[in-house]
Amino acid sequence: MRVSYASASDVGKVRSANQDAVYADESTFLVADGMGGHAGGGVASSTAVKVIVDLLRQGEDPMVAIQEANRAIFERGMKDSSLAGMGTTLTLAKTDGTDGALNVFNIGDSRAYLLRQGRLRKLTNDHTFVQELVDAGSITVEQASTHHARHVLTRALGVDPEVEVDRFFVPIEGGDTLLICSDGLVNEVAEGRIAELLADLEPSEAVKKLVEEANANGGNDNISVVVARFHRGDGDDHLVSVAAGHKESRATVSGVATAPKGSAPTGLVVSDIPSPIPKSAVERPMVFRPVLRLLGFVAVLVLFFLAIVVAIALYVNHSYYVGVAGKRVAIYQGRIGGLLWFKPHVVQDTDLTVSKLTPAFRSQVTHGVPESSFADARSFVANMKYQLSAFAHTGSSVK
Ligand code: MN
């Protein structure tokens, strides 16, 4: 499997800075969309790319590389108060070396798509508050696309000491096209249009056109795209590798195109994307996860408490004892002296007068005699009656 690819990252028409970062080579494709503070977002996304790409080059496992990047961003945010709370999305696709599959990793709301025979399929799930509402059936996908909280993430790289990463294994076929993009693309360009452009254009043209259309439709956020097309066999299609789209270079997609061994170089690819108009930055909201976690914790506490109450109620309802009600012996349901707000109550009176019992029985019932069931309590009473009558017959005095 051979691959041609291109990437681009653009500040858009509204933000003052590009906090996205992209990376692409022949086996690794990555988009990171930073958030948190004026500087934090850009630091988080570029740290993610640097740490991950370095480790992958050293042959490290992608999952390990992602956790390392998470730790690096988290620790830097802890040390530097101006970067506190920074984080980034991460969508990474890596060919697995077996020629025909991608491992896709995702945290946050950047997305990976696969175009196969004209049909665009989303490979990743967004980790956003609105996606949770959609999954719960509270709102529709259409409502989610315009929801005021649609940018609020439930998961991001670098905001906690450890991060949960979604992982997808994606078999690929010759002709498949991979797209990785930040939300700045999908919020501006409909998926149907994205599919058209990917199907019609070479990767280097597709990334330019996608950024262009996102800007034309508003460019409200930074726009980052990586497009990779996979070619089966040694056909005569050109392999064009375009290293492009540096985050500092606002509007240029540029780079040297390299050719496969044996064929002629295909030349330089330069973009003609118009320069953006910087406006006041609209910061991405902080990650929503601490709030969700707190709510989850409270829910667990409440359930735990309810479980205890139910357990106590069951326990109390299955407890009986023989005690004293007024001057007579009675059978109670509940625990002697009560338990929490569960007070014992008389379930059966008897005709036994306490003052007529033997001293031993009198002492016992005054303190209460616990029994494991109503039947056991009744047998205890019956036993007392029997012994009293036995005393009476032998003429023993009952004090
Ligand atoms: Mn974004």
Side-chain angles (χ1 to χ4, degrees):
M1 194 79 77
R2 294 182 302 135
V3 59
S4 56
Y5 60 92
S7 64
S9 186
D10 188 86
V11 71
K13 293 204 165 287
V14 173
R15 304 289 176 97
S16 59
N18 190 350
Q19 301 196 328
D20 286 0
V22 296
Y23 178 83
D25 63 28
E26 42 295 302
S27 62
T28 304
F29 314 96
L30 189 166
V31 166
D33 178 349
M35 49 148 225
H38 212 73
V43 172
S45 61
S46 56
T47 303
V49 170
K50 189 182 180 326
V51 172
I52 290 168
V53 170
D54 281 355
L55 288 171
L56 291 180
R57 279 189 189 137
Q58 292 164 31
E60 191 54 88
D61 179 77
M63 276 297 204
V64 174
I66 291 168
Q67 290 298 341
E68 279 300 307
N70 182 73
R71 197 179 51 77
I73 297 164
F74 180 73
E75 285 179 0
R76 188 143 176 219
M78 295 290 276
K79 273 189 212 133
D80 184 342
S81 63
S82 71
L83 300 174
M86 69 173 171
T88 181
T89 72
L90 175 76
T91 304
L92 165 70
K94 181 104 180 65
T95 53
D96 73 344
T98 64
D99 199 35
L102 287 171
N103 284 301
V104 178
F105 305 85
N106 187 55
I107 303 146
D109 69 348
S110 296
R111 293 177 178 177
Y113 289 90
L114 194 73
L115 182 85
R116 176 172 297 169
Q117 284 155 9
R119 287 194 48 193
L120 191 68
R121 184 162 62 99
K122 185 149 82 78
L123 301 175
T124 50
N125 300 317
D126 296 351
H127 302 134
T128 57
F129 180 57
V130 292
Q131 185 60 48
E132 291 191 358
L133 294 179
V134 170
D135 293 343
S138 307
I139 60 171
T140 64
V141 174
E142 288 69 36
Q143 288 170 322
S145 66
T146 55
H147 197 282
H148 65 90
R150 67 184 179 279
H151 301 294
V152 178
L153 298 180
T154 51
R155 238 195 266 179
L157 194 72
V159 296
D160 283 309
E162 295 207 2
V163 67
E164 190 189 344
V165 185
D166 284 357
R167 181 176 194 162
F168 308 89
F169 181 76
V170 185
I172 43 174
E173 297 171 359
D176 281 356
T177 304
L178 171 75
L179 166 71
I180 303 181
C181 61
S182 61
D183 62 338
L185 177 72
V186 291
N187 288 337
E188 308 289 11
V189 184
E191 288 183 352
R193 179 62 181 155
I194 292 173
E196 267 174 34
L197 292 173
L198 289 177
D200 292 348
L201 301 171
E202 286 300 306
S204 57
E205 286 302 313
V207 297
K208 279 196 287 183
K209 192 74 180 140
L210 287 168
V211 169
E212 217 173 272
E213 293 210 358
N215 273 321
N217 294 346
N220 288 297
D221 191 4
N222 306 146
I223 307 144
S224 294
V225 285
V226 173
V227 174
R229 181 155 301 143
F230 300 93
H231 307 268
R232 181 65 82 184
D234 294 322
D236 55 3
D237 45 11
H238 293 286
L239 178 70
V240 184
S241 305
V242 184
H246 195 249
K247 72 187 266 295
E248 259 71 54
S249 68
R250 303 198 149 181
T252 54
V253 180
S254 63
V256 179
T258 57
K261 52 184 185 293
S263 68
T266 49
L268 199 70
V269 179
V270 182
S271 112
D272 52 358
I273 297 162
S275 288
I277 305 150
K279 291 185 189 163
S280 64
V282 182
E283 297 299 344
R284 204 178 163 90
M286 289 290 291
V287 75
F288 202 70
R289 185 172 171 175
V291 179
L292 286 182
R293 184 186 289 171
L294 182 68
L295 285 177
F297 182 67
V298 170
V300 167
L301 270 185
V302 167
L303 284 176
F304 185 65
F305 183 72
L306 283 176
I308 288 177
V309 170
V310 168
I312 290 172
L314 286 172
Y315 175 61
V316 166
N317 268 332
H318 288 87
S319 299
Y320 293 88
Y321 69 92
V322 180
V324 177
K327 292 184 172 177
R328 293 185 177 199
V329 172
I331 298 173
Y332 286 83
Q333 187 178 39
R335 305 295 301 174
I336 297 162
L339 188 59
L340 297 180
W341 54 89
F342 297 101
K343 300 292 173 224
H345 61 278
V346 174
V347 287
Q348 189 169 65
D349 285 312
T350 71
D351 53 4
L352 281 174
T353 308
V354 178
S355 60
K356 294 200 173 141
L357 298 176
T358 63
F361 278 141
R362 198 183 310 144
S363 166
Q364 275 185 290
V365 298
T366 305
H367 290 101
V369 183
E371 293 290 350
S372 52
S373 69
F374 183 55
D376 287 351
R378 289 183 62 151
S379 347
F380 183 85
V381 171
N383 184 39
M384 281 195 298
K385 279 188 186 169
Y386 172 77
Q387 295 210 19
L388 282 175
S389 63
F391 272 117
H393 284 301
T394 55
S396 296
S397 69
V398 177
K399 193 164 182 263

